[in-house]
Amino acid sequence: MPPSPRVRFAPSPTGHLHIGGARTAIYNWAFARHQGGTFVLRIEDTDPERSTRENTDAIIRAMEWLGLDFDEGPGVGGPYGPYFQTQRTQTYVEALDRLKRAGAAYPCFCTPEVLEAKRTTARERGGFAGYDRTCRTLDPDEAHQRIARGEPHVWRLKVPLDRGDIVFNDAVRGEVVFQSSQVDDLVLVRTDSTPTYNFAVTIDDATMRISHVIRGDDHLSNTPKQILIYEALGEPIPTFAHLSMIWGPDGKRLSKRHGATSVEAYREQGYLPEALVNYLALLGWSLDGETTIFSREVLKEHFSLERVSRNPAIFDVEKLDWINGTYLREMSPSDFAQHMMPWLQDAGLTTIDDYATRPDWYHTLAPRVAERVKRLCDAPALVEFLFRDTIELEPSSVSKALLSGDARSALRAAQAALTSLEVWRSQEIETCLRGLAERLAVKPKIVFQAVRVAVTGSVVSLPLFESLELLGQDRTAERIRAALEALDSDRNPADAASEPYAR
RNA sequence: GGCCCGUUCGUCUAGCGGUUAGGACACCGCCCUCUCAAGGCGGAGAUCACGGGUUCGAAUCCCGUACGGGCUACCA
């Protein structure tokens, strides 16, 4: 039985958790959970300019929100820590020492300017533009003296010249072959003695005993370099799995231009974590080609790298919206109400105390709203009329439903009928208004739309009878009164559509 | 420039030598209906990037070409 797999997600805290990063994290998490392995979170904070503590915290919070629990990492610790690269310098120093002792690394004194010049000419000639290995053949004694004199230098990997093809079996791409002659003697440690990215990840993955490296496609070309480092160190080479990129709708790299790119931004718009995970999981993986809605549980039960697709995917908010909507509609009334409350409060419509006072009222409202929103942030606009003291009548709705003589008289009659209604329940309200239409000999719709606009301000609203029930008899009467007054104060109804009707 | 990776309906995908190329989102139509949604039913939409092979047979295997992407830093 093979040892249980160890995988890691290694974001750099130079910003919030990106959608693409989140998907990588999801796949790593799902793989680990499916296999009964270990999921580690490692923070690649070696870029001091851009890395911040706030970003690290935000990334961890986003992962928690998504439900991606990790077994080792910041906060939870683990046997292979520390889990911040900036705290692992000793490990890199030791690794470089091992390489030096094994004769697999050598100092290079070439200046950046010289290197730049070499690169340019090499590229102009066409073909391979890697480092020409000048310092590789330096006399060891001379090199020592120059180091002793304090001459600036970097440490490079001494790539074996007779290595031949570097072949590895990528878990999603299949066999990938690089010629080792295409890999130059890359820099491992910089002049300021900090490790380069390729050196640091490899050392970290090796010392943390990572068995499967599941990461973005952009690292595919780095893989042969890293394999060479593993070999120089005599460490076992993990299985690699390279995930395709996520693109914006225009087929370009996903960026702010395309709208929200961070997990946090989606949370703020009222997307549910299970919906985001579901959608992102689907962006490059499929359960069976048929199933589109599945829980985290199902994901970890079925996830496999074999079913990860190789082609890049375009981020489609519309499908995310649909998935989010289905999750929203599946919620119980009280669950939905509780999720909706923060948005209503932020919009200044209500308070948590009000919810505590009359939970049933909110639970009646909840499913009517859930059926009509894609995101929680859409909720306030739908229910606003239930909370405000006065509403604005939408001019175009007024001209559609209130300007005809029939509509006006229907509204007037409705006011009277509703005011004298004895039982204020949607069922009775409906019966009342239908009866009214019959008596007036107008289509029921005329009455309904007139009342709807008077009460909600718009020709489009939540279901009318339930809305009236929730609004209450007195407030309903007041709304209709106000609407009639607004209409009457208009001497020239033809201008109505351009009037504000503030009431 | 060099080296790698990718290419199935608008989008996400199923397919792993023989299918009327399946599903989902979006779109269109009908039904339901107090508006909007939700839901139900149906429809349109893919010469499987292109060109060569291999094979009785190719979306599936091989080779090119085109297009897109990545790496090619003392960035990560």
Side-chain angles (χ1 to χ4, degrees):
Chain A
M1 204 176 120
S4 76
R6 293 177 54 82
V7 299
R8 51 45 162 202
F9 174 55
S12 66
T14 54
H16 288 178
L17 181 58
H18 188 267
I19 284 299
R23 189 193 55 174
T24 303
I26 290 167
Y27 287 11
N28 273 284
W29 173 87
F31 180 81
R33 293 291 169 261
H34 178 74
Q35 309 262 337
T38 305
F39 179 37
V40 352
L41 176 66
R42 183 175 71 223
I43 305 296
E44 307 212 326
D45 56 350
T46 47
D47 184 342
E49 301 288 296
R50 298 183 297 153
S51 298
T52 68
R53 180 57 204 262
E54 292 70 50
N55 287 334
T56 301
D57 292 346
I59 288 170
I60 293 174
R61 251 185 287 117
M63 288 185 61
E64 282 169 353
W65 182 71
L66 290 172
L68 308 178
D69 55 305
F70 44 92
D71 308 300
E72 294 175 24
V76 305
Y80 298 95
Y83 295 91
F84 287 88
Q85 281 192 329
T86 46
Q87 294 169 17
R88 314 189 103 245
T89 45
Q90 189 53 35
T91 309
Y92 308 131
V93 170
E94 285 166 14
L96 180 63
D97 280 343
R98 275 168 70 188
L99 256 20
K100 287 185 202 169
R101 280 198 303 274
Y106 65 90
C108 169
F109 302 90
C110 297
T111 64
E113 296 72 39
V114 170
L115 293 172
E116 180 59 40
K118 284 178 175 175
R119 223 179 350 255
T120 324
T121 53
R123 202 167 298 200
E124 272 165 8
R125 269 203 310 275
F128 185 59
Y131 178 56
D132 65 1
R133 297 178 167 136
T134 303
C135 292
R136 179 169 171 138
T137 50
L138 235 46
D139 175 60
D141 291 336
E142 186 197 333
H144 271 113
Q145 282 170 27
R146 291 172 74 172
I147 293 173
R149 277 202 305 270
E151 194 172 326
H153 61 283
V154 300
W155 285 88
R156 286 183 182 273
L157 181 71
K158 192 184 276 182
V159 173
L161 270 16
D162 54 356
R163 173 62 177 73
D165 287 350
I166 300 167
V167 183
F168 62 97
N169 209 307
D170 191 286
V172 344
R173 261 142 235 284
E175 186 177 279
V176 182
V177 183
F178 288 86
Q179 293 168 289
S180 59
S181 60
Q182 290 294 322
V183 181
D184 70 353
D185 291 352
L186 64 147
V187 174
L188 302 172
V189 173
R190 305 184 186 100
T191 304
D192 66 1
S193 67
T194 58
T196 58
Y197 166 76
N198 279 304
F199 187 52
V201 257
T202 306
I203 299 311
D204 288 340
D205 287 340
T207 56
M208 291 182 175
R209 299 278 171 258
I210 300 302
S211 63
H212 298 254
V213 173
I214 305 169
R215 59 184 5 171
D217 205 344
D218 45 344
H219 294 295
L220 187 59
S221 302
N222 287 325
T223 307
K225 301 173 197 169
Q226 295 171 8
I227 286 176
L228 257 14
I229 297 174
Y230 280 104
E231 288 178 350
L233 246 18
E235 295 286 349
I237 296 164
T239 297
F240 293 96
H242 288 97
L243 278 19
S244 295
M245 308 270 84
I246 297 178
W247 288 345
D250 55 359
K252 298 263 169 54
R253 211 188 175 107
L254 193 61
S255 72
K256 298 109 260 147
R257 287 187 305 108
H258 303 111
T261 54
S262 72
V263 168
E264 190 173 52
Y266 284 90
R267 181 174 58 76
E268 284 167 359
Q269 284 177 68
Y271 288 93
L272 299 173
E274 35 284 290
L276 233 202
V277 168
N278 190 153
Y279 176 67
L280 255 17
L282 231 29
L283 227 48
W285 177 80
S286 63
L287 202 162
D288 55 10
E290 308 274 301
T291 312
T292 56
I293 301 293
F294 48 79
S295 64
R296 284 192 206 86
E297 295 305 306
V298 171
L299 173 61
K300 73 188 197 194
E301 187 182 327
H302 293 273
F303 186 82
S304 73
L305 292 171
E306 291 79 69
R307 291 196 66 85
V308 171
S309 82
R310 288 166 295 283
N311 11 346
I314 289 175
F315 190 84
D316 179 16
V317 208
E318 300 220 327
K319 187 153 183 177
L320 204 212
D321 282 347
W322 175 79
I323 288 178
N324 201 53
T326 71
Y327 277 88
L328 252 18
R329 271 173 259 123
E330 274 173 9
M331 293 174 120
S332 70
S334 83
D335 206 5
F336 183 84
Q338 282 162 40
H339 274 83
M340 172 172 69
M341 280 309 287
W343 268 266
L344 302 193
Q345 291 173 78
D346 286 353
L349 296 176
T350 183
T351 62
I352 195 71
D353 288 342
D354 187 51
Y355 177 60
T357 313
R358 43 172 190 158
D360 290 349
W361 187 87
Y362 282 90
H363 296 167
T364 306
L365 173 64
R368 304 282 95 89
V369 179
E371 212 162 65
R372 271 155 261 262
V373 294
K374 304 282 192 197
R375 311 163 306 187
L376 261 2
C377 71
D378 298 327
L382 274 181
V383 302
E384 191 179 16
F385 77 96
L386 290 169
F387 297 95
R388 300 285 190 209
D389 288 335
T390 59
I391 56 162
E392 297 220 343
L393 301 183
E394 206 179 84
S396 66
S397 292
V398 168
S399 59
K400 263 181 237 162
L402 286 181
L403 292 187
S404 73
D406 276 357
R408 287 193 192 212
S409 47
L411 189 57
R412 219 165 264 123
Q415 185 185 31
L418 290 172
T419 305
S420 58
L421 232 196
E422 279 170 21
V423 182
W424 193 255
R425 249 189 345 226
S426 66
Q427 182 73 73
E428 282 70 16
I429 295 169
E430 175 168 7
T431 309
C432 167
L433 291 180
R434 283 193 190 280
L436 176 71
E438 201 167 331
R439 269 179 278 127
L440 295 173
V442 296
K443 283 190 189 154
K445 206 182 242 184
I446 301 284
V447 180
F448 299 156
Q449 287 301 73
V451 175
R452 187 191 307 281
V453 173
V455 170
T456 72
S458 170
V459 86
V460 174
S461 79
L462 296 185
L464 183 62
F465 315 122
E466 278 139 328
S467 294
L468 298 189
E469 177 186 319
L470 289 167
L471 224 208
Q473 194 162 22
D474 295 345
R475 305 183 76 195
T476 298
E478 167 56 22
R479 288 279 162 86
I480 298 179
R481 206 216 87 243
L484 286 168
E485 186 181 294
L487 287 170
D488 290 340
S489 71
D490 251 326
R491 263 162 316 212
N492 185 358
D495 293 338
S498 57
E499 289 296 313
Y501 284 98
R503 225 6 260 189

